[in-house]
């Protein structure tokens, strides 16, 4: 209620009817919950916000993807220990355990094993039961899912914008080089790639559910069967969405023009090669890749070879860039300090 009051007051101070474009799941959910009240003060796709809200929860997005031909790994919604035991008896480990909504685990205090985590890896039926008991303190309904096998570089991200009538206004696919945290985190370095199969699967899915707006779909090609499978869908502007702009696809601008009723000609990505880097994420994950023998110095240098595009580094925005560089330096120095100065035993 306080957030709604703030938003209405913001629109009044601006004196116009601004466009809303979400960049976090919590805002997708909030706009959907207060759509009727917000529609009097802001411009957004009122008819499509309910569909975006469905994709903001793990349960509904997996149900929708399976119903519209987008493959997903073996997934089960567990509500009690009996469900957990049944899944564990047939599952191929290791598996993942996820909250239905990423905010569910935000109640855990700092230092808790699940604090600030998007998922947890489980290695056996016993481990699954133990971690379910821990996670059930926040919510008993969780997602248990088999892992899509393959290296981090097999992960793809479909970046897109759909206009009124679910018309595709622009899309591209990027390939992940590294992620933070390693293996199951968000991309820290990506590069453009051509993958018609992934594009076709994602486009069919989003048009099938009548999607309107900006959407990112994370996928991975399973090394066991070669099939592209969905990891998750993000119905909003994301960090990786910033990479699309460097391929000539200004997704936010295309969505804005469509929302204010301007005619939009669909745009195709430019055939240019670049690497899009999120420095704060990448500096935090390098030690993990080195430790597991997955990153040589040669690979590292190659991944930072021009042309480069940065999400969080821009000399024209010096104050923000300076604060980000401080974090980057801490990320790079901390592993060396931990090796030199052992932690005190408690």
């Amino acid at each position: 209620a306080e957030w709604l009051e703030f938003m209405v007051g913001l629109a009044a101070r601006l004196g116009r009817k601004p466009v809303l474009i979400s960049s976090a799941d919590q805002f997708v959910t909030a706009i959907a919950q207060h759509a009727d009240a917000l529609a009097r003060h802001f411009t957004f796709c009122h008819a499509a916000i309910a569909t975006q809200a469905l994709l903001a929860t793990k349960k509904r997005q997996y149900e929708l993807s399976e119903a519209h031909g987008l493959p997903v790994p073996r997934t089960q919604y567990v509500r009690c220990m009996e469900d957990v035991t049944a899944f564990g008896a047939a599952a191929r480990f290791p598996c993942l355990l996820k909250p239905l909504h990423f905010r569910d685990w935000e109640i855990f205090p700092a230092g808790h094993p699940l604090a600030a985590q998007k998922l947890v890896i489980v290695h056996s039926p016993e481990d699954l039961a133990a971690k379910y008991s821990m996670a059930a303190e926040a919510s008993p309904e969780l997602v248990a899912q088999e892992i899509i096998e393959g290296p981090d570089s097999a992960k793809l991200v479909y970046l897109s914008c759909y206009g009124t009538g679910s018309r595709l206004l622009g899309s591209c696919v990027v390939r992940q080089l590294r992620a933070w945290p390693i293996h199951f985190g968000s991309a820290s370095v990506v590069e453009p790639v051509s993958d018609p199969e992934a594009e076709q699967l994602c486009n069919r899915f989003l048009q099938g559910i009548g999607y309107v707006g900006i959407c990112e779909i994370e996928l991975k090609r399973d090394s066991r069967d070669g099939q592209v499978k969905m990891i998750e869908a993000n119905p909003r502007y994301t960090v990786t969405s910033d990479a699309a702009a460097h391929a000539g696809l200004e997704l936010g601008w295309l969505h804005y023009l469509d929302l204010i009723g301007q005619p939009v000609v669909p745009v195709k990505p430019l055939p240019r090669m670049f690497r899009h880097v999120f420095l704060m994420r990448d500096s935090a994950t390098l030690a993990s890749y080195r430790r597991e023998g997955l990153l040589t110095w040669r690979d590292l240098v190659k991944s930072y070879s021009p042309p480069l595009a940065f999400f969080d580094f821009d000399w024209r925005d010096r104050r923000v860039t300076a604060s980000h560089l401080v974090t980057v330096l801490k990320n790079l120095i901390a592993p060396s300090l931990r090796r030199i100065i052992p932690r005190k035993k408690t």
Side-chain angles (χ1 to χ4, degrees):
E2 292 178 3
W3 178 81
L4 177 61
E5 182 180 354
F6 165 79
M7 293 299 290
V8 172
L10 177 62
R13 291 196 300 274
L14 291 172
R16 300 191 181 187
K17 195 176 181 182
V19 167
L20 284 182
I21 299 178
S22 296
S23 58
D25 287 338
Q26 61 184 340
F27 297 122
V28 174
T29 304
I31 294 170
Q33 289 177 345
H34 302 288
D36 292 340
L38 290 170
R40 296 193 291 270
H41 306 278
F42 292 92
T43 300
F44 59 95
C45 191
H46 190 281
I49 189 63
T51 302
Q52 294 177 6
L54 290 178
L55 292 185
T57 64
K58 299 289 188 297
K59 180 177 180 180
R60 296 310 304 274
Q61 65 177 235
Y62 290 127
E63 291 175 347
L64 288 170
S65 62
E66 286 189 301
H68 291 85
L70 181 56
V72 297
R74 182 172 176 268
T75 303
Q76 183 175 332
Y77 309 103
V78 292
R79 301 174 178 83
C80 59
M81 191 58 72
E82 287 75 15
D83 292 343
V84 172
T85 302
F87 177 84
R92 183 188 311 200
F93 288 90
C95 293
L96 306 175
L97 197 61
K98 308 177 186 180
L100 292 187
H101 195 287
F102 83 100
R103 289 193 299 165
D104 291 348
W105 289 358
E106 288 184 352
I107 70 165
F108 292 119
H112 190 282
L114 301 181
Q117 298 297 312
K118 294 175 62 176
L119 55 85
V120 63
I121 304 171
V122 293
H123 299 278
S124 67
E126 295 75 22
D127 191 26
L128 175 63
K131 287 176 178 171
Y132 172 81
S133 297
M134 189 187 303
E137 296 173 13
S139 173
E141 190 170 7
L142 301 168
V143 177
Q145 188 177 69
E146 290 188 351
I147 286 175
I148 306 173
E149 293 191 6
D152 282 355
S153 57
K155 180 178 174 183
L156 304 169
V157 187
Y158 177 76
L159 308 171
S160 62
C161 178
Y162 288 79
T164 305
S166 197
R167 185 171 68 110
L168 178 60
L169 302 181
S171 70
C172 66
V173 177
V174 295
R175 180 176 71 94
Q176 176 183 279
L177 299 184
R178 289 188 291 275
W180 178 81
I182 188 173
H183 301 316
F184 301 104
S186 300
S188 62
V189 182
V190 298
E191 63 183 12
V193 68
S194 175
D195 197 312
E197 180 187 3
E199 289 196 71
Q200 184 179 15
L201 286 169
C202 293
N203 183 53
R204 184 172 61 193
F205 165 58
L206 291 173
Q207 290 190 328
I209 63 174
Y211 191 84
V212 176
I214 296 169
C215 191
E216 172 202 88
I217 299 181
E218 298 178 14
L219 315 114
K220 191 173 183 180
R221 192 175 294 278
D222 198 316
S223 60
R224 293 168 296 183
D225 56 19
Q227 189 177 46
V228 175
K229 299 174 183 177
M230 186 186 80
I231 299 172
E232 67 176 14
N234 294 302
R236 55 181 173 82
Y237 202 93
T238 66
V239 167
T240 307
S241 296
D242 182 66
H246 300 280
L249 292 172
E250 294 283 359
L251 300 179
W253 179 240
L254 293 173
H255 185 40
Y256 173 81
L257 291 176
D258 183 69
L259 285 174
I260 64 174
Q262 293 295 313
V264 182
V265 177
V267 181
K268 292 188 177 297
L270 299 174
R272 62 170 62 147
M273 177 52 67
F274 62 89
R275 290 180 182 85
H276 183 264
V277 182
F278 189 177
L279 272 177
M280 288 193 291
R281 281 183 187 170
D282 203 45
S283 59
T285 202
L286 292 178
S288 299
Y289 279 89
R290 292 281 300 163
R291 190 162 48 245
E292 294 196 17
L294 299 175
L295 181 66
T296 66
W297 288 114
R298 182 177 181 181
D299 293 334
L300 178 60
V301 171
K302 183 179 179 181
S303 66
Y304 276 85
S305 298
L308 292 173
F310 292 95
F311 175 77
D312 54 347
F313 182 82
D314 188 343
W315 285 120
R316 295 169 298 179
D317 195 354
R318 295 182 182 180
R319 181 177 298 178
V320 173
T321 295
S323 66
H324 290 172
L325 285 178
V326 170
T327 302
V328 169
L329 289 173
K330 289 179 179 178
N331 290 340
L332 294 174
I333 294 172
S336 298
L337 290 178
R338 282 195 288 267
R339 287 194 297 270
I340 298 171
I341 307 173
R343 292 182 179 179
K344 293 182 179 180
K345 294 183 178 181
T346 57

